[in-house]
């Protein structure tokens, strides 16, 4: 008991000057599923320096159907505000390829944003980034290992990612619009390049939020395309309805390989931090009903 109290005291002192938050995704389809638990700790070291530490806990379903839960380091990020709208970030950093689109979509607990879902880009990677806000235009350049946050560096090839944005970054919180472009380049051990180019845009106002994106992935000479459209309407302070459609075309120069997914539902927020969403997903002619929950603290 004394050791437990000591550990609790140490943790309390460690986090007392920072901010600890979390989010959990829980659902029921054919059975109950806890798909993700994120814990995030943020601390400002000074007015210009800050640190973010985030863990990602989830089942190992991407690895030979192993569904045991495991914890990954999602972010271990230092930020340095250098003045004049410039910021330098280093460590395990959130990628700049679909962070804006993900906020415009707004429902990560229901479905990943398009690039993340179809693995056009990881959501975080080990590297360094430089961003500059010019007021009317925001830019972000990132150099990373390229393997993502679930793998260590396996070669000496680095990934270069770039984002150009005009407009509001958080349309899920503010009215306005945005348009932007993202691109990345990564070579493998055989010097064969994988390049991704994406265009996106969104608008929010009068209780309506809409966004769309078009992405192309080029692997040597093969091209894969991905489009996504999402719309959300706020019915009241605690009710909203949404619809989303994704279309992926593997190897656009050949017939077949197309996949289209339609998703629609209603989100009910009865209490702060709790979202309940009955929804239906249609893939080809098959419909799947799910009840999803998001818990935030």
């Amino acid at each position: 008991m004394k050791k437990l109290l000591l550990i609790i005291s140490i943790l309390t002192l460690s986090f007392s000057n920072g901010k600890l938050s979390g989010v959990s995704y829980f659902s029921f389809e054919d059975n109950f599923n806890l798909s993700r638990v994120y814990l995030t700790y943020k601390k400002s070291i000074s007015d210009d320096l800050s640190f973010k530490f985030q863990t990602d806990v989830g089942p190992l379903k991407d690895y030979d159907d192993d569904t045991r839960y495991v914890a990954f380091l999602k972010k271990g990020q230092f930020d340095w505000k250098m003045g004049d709208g410039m910021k330098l970030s280093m460590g395990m950093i959130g990628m700049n390829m679909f962070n804006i689109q993900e906020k415009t979509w707004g429902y990560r607990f229901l479905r990943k944003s398009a690039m993340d879902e179809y693995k056009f880009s990881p959501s975080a990677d080990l590297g360094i980034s430089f961003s500059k806000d010019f007021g009317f235009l925001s830019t972000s350049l990132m150099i990373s290992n390229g393997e993502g946050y679930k793998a260590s560096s396996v070669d000496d090839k680095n990934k270069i990612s770039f984002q150009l944005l005009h407009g509001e970054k958080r349309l899920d919180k503010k009215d306005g619009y945005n348009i932007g472009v993202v691109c990345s380049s990564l070579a493998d051990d055989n010097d064969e390049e994988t390049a991704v180019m994406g265009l996106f845009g969104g608008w929010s106002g009068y209780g309506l939020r809409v966004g769309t994106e078009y992405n192309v992935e080029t692997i040597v000479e093969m091209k894969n395309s991905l489009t996504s459209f999402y719309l959300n309407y706020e019915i009241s302070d605690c009710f909203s309805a949404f619809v989303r459609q994704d279309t992926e075309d593997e190897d656009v120069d050949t017939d077949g390989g197309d996949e289209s997914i339609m998703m629609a539902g209603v989100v009910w927020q009865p209490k702060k931090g709790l979202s309940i969403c009955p929804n239906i997903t249609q893939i080809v002619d098959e419909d799947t009903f799910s009840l999803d929950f998001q818990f935030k603290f």
Side-chain angles (χ1 to χ4, degrees), residues 218-242:
T218 305
I219 306 175
V220 191
E221 295 181 356
M222 184 179 74
K223 289 186 178 181
N224 306 317
S225 70
L226 172 63
T227 60
S228 185
F229 172 80
Y230 25 92
L231 181 148
N232 178 80
Y233 180 68
E234 188 176 292
I235 302 170
S236 66
D237 290 340
C238 60
F239 277 100
S240 60
F242 72 89

PDB file of all heavy atoms in Angstrom, residues 218-242:
ATOM      1  N   THR A 218       1.210   7.669 -56.373  1.00  0.00           N
ATOM      2  CA  THR A 218       1.964   7.122 -57.489  1.00  0.00           C
ATOM      3  C   THR A 218       3.086   6.247 -56.952  1.00  0.00           C
ATOM      4  O   THR A 218       3.973   6.726 -56.238  1.00  0.00           O
ATOM      5  CB  THR A 218       2.541   8.230 -58.386  1.00  0.00           C
ATOM      6  OG1 THR A 218       1.495   9.096 -58.828  1.00  0.00           O
ATOM      7  CG2 THR A 218       3.244   7.633 -59.595  1.00  0.00           C
ATOM      8  N   ILE A 219       3.037   4.959 -57.276  1.00  0.00           N
ATOM      9  CA  ILE A 219       4.075   4.009 -56.871  1.00  0.00           C
ATOM     10  C   ILE A 219       4.774   3.548 -58.136  1.00  0.00           C
ATOM     11  O   ILE A 219       4.241   2.741 -58.899  1.00  0.00           O
ATOM     12  CB  ILE A 219       3.483   2.812 -56.110  1.00  0.00           C
ATOM     13  CG1 ILE A 219       2.647   3.294 -54.927  1.00  0.00           C
ATOM     14  CG2 ILE A 219       4.584   1.875 -55.645  1.00  0.00           C
ATOM     15  CD1 ILE A 219       1.917   2.192 -54.194  1.00  0.00           C
ATOM     16  N   VAL A 220       5.954   4.089 -58.381  1.00  0.00           N
ATOM     17  CA  VAL A 220       6.686   3.892 -59.637  1.00  0.00           C
ATOM     18  C   VAL A 220       5.792   4.403 -60.778  1.00  0.00           C
ATOM     19  O   VAL A 220       5.597   5.590 -60.915  1.00  0.00           O
ATOM     20  CB  VAL A 220       7.106   2.423 -59.835  1.00  0.00           C
ATOM     21  CG1 VAL A 220       8.087   2.326 -61.011  1.00  0.00           C
ATOM     22  CG2 VAL A 220       7.777   1.886 -58.573  1.00  0.00           C
ATOM     23  N   GLU A 221       5.183   3.504 -61.572  1.00  0.00           N
ATOM     24  CA  GLU A 221       4.337   3.948 -62.673  1.00  0.00           C
ATOM     25  C   GLU A 221       2.859   3.675 -62.425  1.00  0.00           C
ATOM     26  O   GLU A 221       2.010   4.009 -63.259  1.00  0.00           O
ATOM     27  CB  GLU A 221       4.771   3.263 -63.972  1.00  0.00           C
ATOM     28  CG  GLU A 221       6.181   3.656 -64.415  1.00  0.00           C
ATOM     29  CD  GLU A 221       6.565   2.991 -65.716  1.00  0.00           C
ATOM     30  OE1 GLU A 221       5.769   2.170 -66.225  1.00  0.00           O
ATOM     31  OE2 GLU A 221       7.653   3.284 -66.235  1.00  0.00           O
ATOM     32  N   MET A 222       2.519   3.069 -61.301  1.00  0.00           N
ATOM     33  CA  MET A 222       1.123   2.766 -60.986  1.00  0.00           C
ATOM     34  C   MET A 222       0.505   3.896 -60.175  1.00  0.00           C
ATOM     35  O   MET A 222       1.114   4.393 -59.229  1.00  0.00           O
ATOM     36  CB  MET A 222       1.020   1.452 -60.206  1.00  0.00           C
ATOM     37  CG  MET A 222      -0.417   1.028 -59.935  1.00  0.00           C
ATOM     38  SD  MET A 222      -0.538  -0.533 -59.028  1.00  0.00           S
ATOM     39  CE  MET A 222      -0.036   0.019 -57.390  1.00  0.00           C
ATOM     40  N   LYS A 223      -0.725   4.286 -60.533  1.00  0.00           N
ATOM     41  CA  LYS A 223      -1.419   5.369 -59.838  1.00  0.00           C
ATOM     42  C   LYS A 223      -2.693   4.845 -59.177  1.00  0.00           C
ATOM     43  O   LYS A 223      -3.477   4.128 -59.798  1.00  0.00           O
ATOM     44  CB  LYS A 223      -1.772   6.495 -60.814  1.00  0.00           C
ATOM     45  CG  LYS A 223      -0.580   7.301 -61.295  1.00  0.00           C
ATOM     46  CD  LYS A 223      -1.030   8.485 -62.140  1.00  0.00           C
ATOM     47  CE  LYS A 223       0.163   9.327 -62.580  1.00  0.00           C
ATOM     48  NZ  LYS A 223      -0.257  10.500 -63.378  1.00  0.00           N
ATOM     49  N   ASN A 224      -2.864   5.225 -57.903  1.00  0.00           N
ATOM     50  CA  ASN A 224      -4.084   4.946 -57.168  1.00  0.00           C
ATOM     51  C   ASN A 224      -4.756   6.276 -56.833  1.00  0.00           C
ATOM     52  O   ASN A 224      -4.075   7.215 -56.420  1.00  0.00           O
ATOM     53  CB  ASN A 224      -3.792   4.184 -55.876  1.00  0.00           C
ATOM     54  CG  ASN A 224      -2.998   2.917 -56.109  1.00  0.00           C
ATOM     55  OD1 ASN A 224      -3.280   2.181 -57.051  1.00  0.00           O
ATOM     56  ND2 ASN A 224      -2.005   2.660 -55.277  1.00  0.00           N
ATOM     57  N   SER A 225      -6.063   6.363 -56.995  1.00  0.00           N
ATOM     58  CA  SER A 225      -6.772   7.603 -56.694  1.00  0.00           C
ATOM     59  C   SER A 225      -7.749   7.378 -55.546  1.00  0.00           C
ATOM     60  O   SER A 225      -8.243   6.276 -55.321  1.00  0.00           O
ATOM     61  CB  SER A 225      -7.524   8.126 -57.928  1.00  0.00           C
ATOM     62  OG  SER A 225      -8.619   7.289 -58.244  1.00  0.00           O
ATOM     63  N   LEU A 226      -8.025   8.450 -54.816  1.00  0.00           N
ATOM     64  CA  LEU A 226      -8.901   8.385 -53.655  1.00  0.00           C
ATOM     65  C   LEU A 226      -9.662   9.700 -53.543  1.00  0.00           C
ATOM     66  O   LEU A 226      -9.057  10.772 -53.489  1.00  0.00           O
ATOM     67  CB  LEU A 226      -8.072   8.141 -52.392  1.00  0.00           C
ATOM     68  CG  LEU A 226      -8.787   8.221 -51.043  1.00  0.00           C
ATOM     69  CD1 LEU A 226      -9.846   7.142 -50.929  1.00  0.00           C
ATOM     70  CD2 LEU A 226      -7.773   8.099 -49.904  1.00  0.00           C
ATOM     71  N   THR A 227     -10.983   9.624 -53.531  1.00  0.00           N
ATOM     72  CA  THR A 227     -11.809  10.804 -53.304  1.00  0.00           C
ATOM     73  C   THR A 227     -12.667  10.585 -52.067  1.00  0.00           C
ATOM     74  O   THR A 227     -13.050   9.452 -51.747  1.00  0.00           O
ATOM     75  CB  THR A 227     -12.728  11.090 -54.514  1.00  0.00           C
ATOM     76  OG1 THR A 227     -13.584   9.968 -54.739  1.00  0.00           O
ATOM     77  CG2 THR A 227     -11.906  11.366 -55.764  1.00  0.00           C
ATOM     78  N   SER A 228     -12.968  11.679 -51.383  1.00  0.00           N
ATOM     79  CA  SER A 228     -13.796  11.602 -50.187  1.00  0.00           C
ATOM     80  C   SER A 228     -14.634  12.866 -50.098  1.00  0.00           C
ATOM     81  O   SER A 228     -14.137  13.978 -50.324  1.00  0.00           O
ATOM     82  CB  SER A 228     -12.924  11.445 -48.939  1.00  0.00           C
ATOM     83  OG  SER A 228     -13.722  11.259 -47.778  1.00  0.00           O
ATOM     84  N   PHE A 229     -15.914  12.680 -49.772  1.00  0.00           N
ATOM     85  CA  PHE A 229     -16.833  13.800 -49.583  1.00  0.00           C
ATOM     86  C   PHE A 229     -17.585  13.580 -48.281  1.00  0.00           C
ATOM     87  O   PHE A 229     -18.063  12.478 -47.999  1.00  0.00           O
ATOM     88  CB  PHE A 229     -17.826  13.898 -50.747  1.00  0.00           C
ATOM     89  CG  PHE A 229     -18.923  14.910 -50.519  1.00  0.00           C
ATOM     90  CD1 PHE A 229     -18.684  16.253 -50.726  1.00  0.00           C
ATOM     91  CD2 PHE A 229     -20.178  14.507 -50.074  1.00  0.00           C
ATOM     92  CE1 PHE A 229     -19.684  17.194 -50.503  1.00  0.00           C
ATOM     93  CE2 PHE A 229     -21.186  15.433 -49.853  1.00  0.00           C
ATOM     94  CZ  PHE A 229     -20.931  16.782 -50.068  1.00  0.00           C
ATOM     95  N   TYR A 230     -17.682  14.640 -47.443  1.00  0.00           N
ATOM     96  CA  TYR A 230     -18.364  14.506 -46.157  1.00  0.00           C
ATOM     97  C   TYR A 230     -19.149  15.768 -45.858  1.00  0.00           C
ATOM     98  O   TYR A 230     -18.733  16.886 -46.158  1.00  0.00           O
ATOM     99  CB  TYR A 230     -17.371  14.206 -45.022  1.00  0.00           C
ATOM    100  CG  TYR A 230     -15.958  14.676 -45.267  1.00  0.00           C
ATOM    101  CD1 TYR A 230     -15.527  15.924 -44.840  1.00  0.00           C
ATOM    102  CD2 TYR A 230     -15.052  13.857 -45.942  1.00  0.00           C
ATOM    103  CE1 TYR A 230     -14.235  16.348 -45.062  1.00  0.00           C
ATOM    104  CE2 TYR A 230     -13.750  14.281 -46.170  1.00  0.00           C
ATOM    105  CZ  TYR A 230     -13.343  15.526 -45.729  1.00  0.00           C
ATOM    106  OH  TYR A 230     -12.066  15.945 -45.963  1.00  0.00           O
ATOM    107  N   LEU A 231     -20.337  15.549 -45.261  1.00  0.00           N
ATOM    108  CA  LEU A 231     -21.250  16.648 -44.958  1.00  0.00           C
ATOM    109  C   LEU A 231     -21.855  16.413 -43.586  1.00  0.00           C
ATOM    110  O   LEU A 231     -22.270  15.302 -43.252  1.00  0.00           O
ATOM    111  CB  LEU A 231     -22.339  16.740 -46.018  1.00  0.00           C
ATOM    112  CG  LEU A 231     -23.393  17.850 -45.880  1.00  0.00           C
ATOM    113  CD1 LEU A 231     -23.854  18.298 -47.269  1.00  0.00           C
ATOM    114  CD2 LEU A 231     -24.606  17.389 -45.071  1.00  0.00           C
ATOM    115  N   ASN A 232     -21.893  17.477 -42.776  1.00  0.00           N
ATOM    116  CA  ASN A 232     -22.475  17.404 -41.442  1.00  0.00           C
ATOM    117  C   ASN A 232     -23.428  18.581 -41.246  1.00  0.00           C
ATOM    118  O   ASN A 232     -23.116  19.714 -41.597  1.00  0.00           O
ATOM    119  CB  ASN A 232     -21.373  17.458 -40.372  1.00  0.00           C
ATOM    120  CG  ASN A 232     -21.948  17.443 -38.971  1.00  0.00           C
ATOM    121  OD1 ASN A 232     -22.312  16.406 -38.442  1.00  0.00           O
ATOM    122  ND2 ASN A 232     -22.018  18.616 -38.349  1.00  0.00           N
ATOM    123  N   TYR A 233     -24.611  18.283 -40.673  1.00  0.00           N
ATOM    124  CA  TYR A 233     -25.581  19.346 -40.385  1.00  0.00           C
ATOM    125  C   TYR A 233     -25.954  19.294 -38.913  1.00  0.00           C
ATOM    126  O   TYR A 233     -26.373  18.253 -38.397  1.00  0.00           O
ATOM    127  CB  TYR A 233     -26.834  19.204 -41.234  1.00  0.00           C
ATOM    128  CG  TYR A 233     -27.848  20.288 -40.956  1.00  0.00           C
ATOM    129  CD1 TYR A 233     -27.589  21.615 -41.316  1.00  0.00           C
ATOM    130  CD2 TYR A 233     -29.047  19.997 -40.315  1.00  0.00           C
ATOM    131  CE1 TYR A 233     -28.500  22.618 -41.051  1.00  0.00           C
ATOM    132  CE2 TYR A 233     -29.971  20.997 -40.043  1.00  0.00           C
ATOM    133  CZ  TYR A 233     -29.685  22.309 -40.410  1.00  0.00           C
ATOM    134  OH  TYR A 233     -30.589  23.315 -40.134  1.00  0.00           O
ATOM    135  N   GLU A 234     -25.792  20.438 -38.231  1.00  0.00           N
ATOM    136  CA  GLU A 234     -26.108  20.537 -36.806  1.00  0.00           C
ATOM    137  C   GLU A 234     -27.595  20.815 -36.645  1.00  0.00           C
ATOM    138  O   GLU A 234     -28.070  21.925 -36.884  1.00  0.00           O
ATOM    139  CB  GLU A 234     -25.278  21.649 -36.176  1.00  0.00           C
ATOM    140  CG  GLU A 234     -25.372  21.718 -34.660  1.00  0.00           C
ATOM    141  CD  GLU A 234     -24.459  22.771 -34.082  1.00  0.00           C
ATOM    142  OE1 GLU A 234     -23.229  22.606 -34.153  1.00  0.00           O
ATOM    143  OE2 GLU A 234     -24.994  23.778 -33.588  1.00  0.00           O
ATOM    144  N   ILE A 235     -28.331  19.795 -36.211  1.00  0.00           N
ATOM    145  CA  ILE A 235     -29.778  19.912 -36.045  1.00  0.00           C
ATOM    146  C   ILE A 235     -30.113  20.762 -34.826  1.00  0.00           C
ATOM    147  O   ILE A 235     -31.020  21.606 -34.853  1.00  0.00           O
ATOM    148  CB  ILE A 235     -30.407  18.513 -35.932  1.00  0.00           C
ATOM    149  CG1 ILE A 235     -30.075  17.678 -37.176  1.00  0.00           C
ATOM    150  CG2 ILE A 235     -31.919  18.607 -35.745  1.00  0.00           C
ATOM    151  CD1 ILE A 235     -30.452  16.219 -37.058  1.00  0.00           C
ATOM    152  N   SER A 236     -29.395  20.529 -33.737  1.00  0.00           N
ATOM    153  CA  SER A 236     -29.563  21.296 -32.500  1.00  0.00           C
ATOM    154  C   SER A 236     -28.226  21.294 -31.769  1.00  0.00           C
ATOM    155  O   SER A 236     -27.222  20.828 -32.305  1.00  0.00           O
ATOM    156  CB  SER A 236     -30.663  20.684 -31.621  1.00  0.00           C
ATOM    157  OG  SER A 236     -30.275  19.402 -31.156  1.00  0.00           O
ATOM    158  N   ASP A 237     -28.210  21.814 -30.545  1.00  0.00           N
ATOM    159  CA  ASP A 237     -26.962  21.867 -29.790  1.00  0.00           C
ATOM    160  C   ASP A 237     -26.399  20.480 -29.492  1.00  0.00           C
ATOM    161  O   ASP A 237     -25.190  20.327 -29.302  1.00  0.00           O
ATOM    162  CB  ASP A 237     -27.175  22.613 -28.471  1.00  0.00           C
ATOM    163  CG  ASP A 237     -27.412  24.095 -28.686  1.00  0.00           C
ATOM    164  OD1 ASP A 237     -27.044  24.594 -29.774  1.00  0.00           O
ATOM    165  OD2 ASP A 237     -27.964  24.757 -27.786  1.00  0.00           O
ATOM    166  N   CYS A 238     -27.234  19.465 -29.434  1.00  0.00           N
ATOM    167  CA  CYS A 238     -26.750  18.129 -29.074  1.00  0.00           C
ATOM    168  C   CYS A 238     -27.011  17.072 -30.149  1.00  0.00           C
ATOM    169  O   CYS A 238     -26.663  15.904 -29.955  1.00  0.00           O
ATOM    170  CB  CYS A 238     -27.355  17.679 -27.742  1.00  0.00           C
ATOM    171  SG  CYS A 238     -29.153  17.594 -27.727  1.00  0.00           S
ATOM    172  N   PHE A 239     -27.624  17.457 -31.279  1.00  0.00           N
ATOM    173  CA  PHE A 239     -27.880  16.505 -32.351  1.00  0.00           C
ATOM    174  C   PHE A 239     -27.302  17.020 -33.671  1.00  0.00           C
ATOM    175  O   PHE A 239     -27.433  18.202 -34.001  1.00  0.00           O
ATOM    176  CB  PHE A 239     -29.385  16.275 -32.543  1.00  0.00           C
ATOM    177  CG  PHE A 239     -29.986  15.283 -31.602  1.00  0.00           C
ATOM    178  CD1 PHE A 239     -30.673  15.714 -30.484  1.00  0.00           C
ATOM    179  CD2 PHE A 239     -29.851  13.918 -31.824  1.00  0.00           C
ATOM    180  CE1 PHE A 239     -31.237  14.811 -29.609  1.00  0.00           C
ATOM    181  CE2 PHE A 239     -30.412  13.005 -30.952  1.00  0.00           C
ATOM    182  CZ  PHE A 239     -31.106  13.440 -29.833  1.00  0.00           C
ATOM    183  N   SER A 240     -26.672  16.114 -34.415  1.00  0.00           N
ATOM    184  CA  SER A 240     -26.218  16.441 -35.765  1.00  0.00           C
ATOM    185  C   SER A 240     -26.314  15.195 -36.634  1.00  0.00           C
ATOM    186  O   SER A 240     -26.297  14.067 -36.124  1.00  0.00           O
ATOM    187  CB  SER A 240     -24.779  16.975 -35.759  1.00  0.00           C
ATOM    188  OG  SER A 240     -23.887  16.016 -35.220  1.00  0.00           O
ATOM    189  N   ALA A 241     -26.429  15.402 -37.941  1.00  0.00           N
ATOM    190  CA  ALA A 241     -26.511  14.299 -38.894  1.00  0.00           C
ATOM    191  C   ALA A 241     -25.387  14.450 -39.910  1.00  0.00           C
ATOM    192  O   ALA A 241     -24.963  15.567 -40.232  1.00  0.00           O
ATOM    193  CB  ALA A 241     -27.872  14.305 -39.603  1.00  0.00           C
ATOM    194  N   PHE A 242     -24.890  13.322 -40.404  1.00  0.00           N
ATOM    195  CA  PHE A 242     -23.758  13.370 -41.329  1.00  0.00           C
ATOM    196  C   PHE A 242     -23.913  12.310 -42.408  1.00  0.00           C
ATOM    197  O   PHE A 242     -24.637  11.320 -42.269  1.00  0.00           O
ATOM    198  CB  PHE A 242     -22.442  13.151 -40.577  1.00  0.00           C
ATOM    199  CG  PHE A 242     -22.240  11.733 -40.113  1.00  0.00           C
ATOM    200  CD1 PHE A 242     -21.621  10.794 -40.923  1.00  0.00           C
ATOM    201  CD2 PHE A 242     -22.706  11.327 -38.867  1.00  0.00           C
ATOM    202  CE1 PHE A 242     -21.460   9.484 -40.507  1.00  0.00           C
ATOM    203  CE2 PHE A 242     -22.552  10.018 -38.450  1.00  0.00           C
ATOM    204  CZ  PHE A 242     -21.926   9.089 -39.266  1.00  0.00           C
TER     205      PHE A 242
END
